[in-house]
Amino acid sequence: MNGVERTRTNRGPAGRSRAATRPPARRDPRRPRRFAFPGLPQELQPHEWFAKRLLLTLSGQKPVHWMLGHTIGEAYEQLLALAENPPLRGPGRPVVAECSGYQPSPRAIEAFARIEYGTRARALAFRLELAEDNRWRCAAVEVGPGVGQ
C-alpha cells in the first residue's frame, strides 16, 4: 500500500497495548479464558458465601477468629459463644443443603441455610449488612434446634 505499512493499534485497559499486558513468552493475540470448574457455580451470592464460612466455623473445621474481619457488632460475640460447643459438629460431614436470602433494604440481607450432617439437620439464620467499604459483613447469627437427633 504505497510503501506505507499499516499497524493495528489495539489498546487494552488503561491505554496499554495488549502486547504489553500478556506474558513475555506468549506470542499469539488470543486472551486467556476464564477457567470454570465443572459442577461449581461461577459466582456465589453473598449469603451463600457466608453460609459456607459460618458452617466451617460452627462445625469446628475453622477457628472463630477466621471470621473476625467478616463480622460486625455482636455477631463475633455470638460466634464465640456458639463455638464453645460447635452446634454443627456431628457424625457426618456437614453441608449447606439449602440457602436462601431476602433483601429488606439495599444494604441488608436476611438469610437462612439448612445444614445437613449425617441423618441430622439444623437451621442457620444470619443477617448481613453492607459496610461503608462495600463489603458484606455478618451482623447476627443463630442456630436452630436440631432435627432427627
Side-chain angles (χ1 to χ4, degrees):
M1 293 180 35
N2 298 344
V4 177
E5 190 174 323
R6 292 184 67 173
T7 60
R8 182 186 286 180
T9 57
N10 196 359
R11 297 283 174 188
R16 297 182 307 195
S17 73
R18 290 191 184 211
T21 62
R22 68 176 168 234
R26 190 171 178 155
R27 300 289 177 236
D28 63 79
R30 294 175 296 142
R31 305 302 297 160
R33 293 184 191 150
R34 289 187 62 189
F35 183 77
F37 292 99
L40 291 180
Q42 289 300 308
E43 284 188 39
L44 292 176
Q45 295 297 315
H47 59 279
E48 296 168 330
W49 186 84
F50 268 93
K52 291 178 188 242
R53 288 186 74 91
L54 288 168
L55 168 67
L56 290 173
T57 303
L58 296 174
S59 64
Q61 296 178 55
K62 293 284 186 180
V64 178
H65 69 266
W66 189 58
M67 290 293 291
L68 189 57
H70 302 288
T71 56
I72 55 173
E74 295 180 20
Y76 189 72
E77 299 298 324
Q78 292 170 335
L79 283 174
L80 280 174
L82 288 169
E84 286 179 10
N85 185 16
L88 300 179
R89 181 177 286 167
R93 183 170 184 228
V95 295
V96 176
E98 179 183 359
C99 185
S100 185
Y102 165 71
Q103 199 162 5
S105 75
R107 302 190 67 83
I109 297 175
E110 302 273 335
F112 82 90
R114 190 177 78 242
I115 309 298
E116 293 180 351
Y117 49 102
T119 59
R120 298 178 181 182
R122 292 201 84 168
L124 174 66
F126 54 98
R127 178 180 173 87
L128 304 178
E129 293 180 1
L130 193 60
E132 294 300 319
D133 61 358
N134 285 329
R135 292 178 57 196
W136 290 100
R137 299 235 165 63
C138 185
V141 61
E142 275 188 45
V143 179
V147 176
Q149 295 186 19

